[in-house]
Amino acid sequence: MSPDTQVSIALIVTIISIVFSSINFFSGRRKDLKNENEQFIRISIQLENIQKTASETKEDLKILNDKLMNVIEEQIALRQQVKEIWRRIQKLENKE
């Protein structure tokens, strides 16, 4: 073998190694991208579920707040009635 032949064989082996390394790199990168996309899809679905739950919770809180306001209004009305009843009782006691 002449030195030129050895250099040519070494160059060919080097080029083949670079080609195989590139193929492995890009095929591995493609798998990584596919896995990342699957993870993003899962995360997106989970975020949508969280958003849906948060919206439902907000609606439930609005309903509870409305009910609470109704109870508070009723309580205020009852307090006024009780005060009025005590005023009448005091008037009746003062007349006797």
Side-chain angles (χ1 to χ4, degrees):
M1 280 192 172
S2 69
D4 288 336
T5 307
Q6 288 178 350
V7 170
S8 296
I9 292 173
L11 182 61
I12 291 172
V13 170
T14 303
I15 291 173
I16 290 172
S17 296
I18 290 172
V19 168
F20 281 126
S21 297
S22 297
I23 290 171
N24 285 335
F25 172 77
F26 288 113
S27 67
R29 182 67 183 142
R30 189 178 318 136
K31 289 178 185 176
D32 290 343
L33 287 174
K34 182 180 176 184
N35 288 338
E36 286 178 4
N37 285 338
E38 289 173 357
Q39 287 177 345
F40 285 135
I41 289 170
R42 277 189 236 120
I43 290 170
S44 177
I45 290 170
Q46 289 174 350
L47 286 174
E48 287 175 4
N49 289 338
I50 290 171
Q51 184 179 14
K52 181 180 175 183
T53 304
S55 295
E56 290 172 356
T57 303
K58 281 183 180 180
E59 287 298 318
D60 291 344
L61 284 175
K62 285 180 184 177
I63 291 169
L64 287 175
N65 281 337
D66 290 342
K67 288 181 180 180
L68 180 62
M69 289 305 296
N70 289 338
V71 168
I72 289 173
E73 289 172 1
E74 287 178 21
Q75 187 179 19
I76 290 171
L78 289 174
R79 282 182 183 172
Q80 289 174 347
Q81 289 176 358
V82 168
K83 284 181 184 179
E84 183 61 31
I85 289 170
W86 279 110
R87 279 187 216 140
R88 288 181 183 177
I89 291 173
Q90 285 178 351
K91 280 184 182 178
L92 291 174
E93 285 179 350
N94 287 341
K95 285 184 180 179
E96 290 178 358

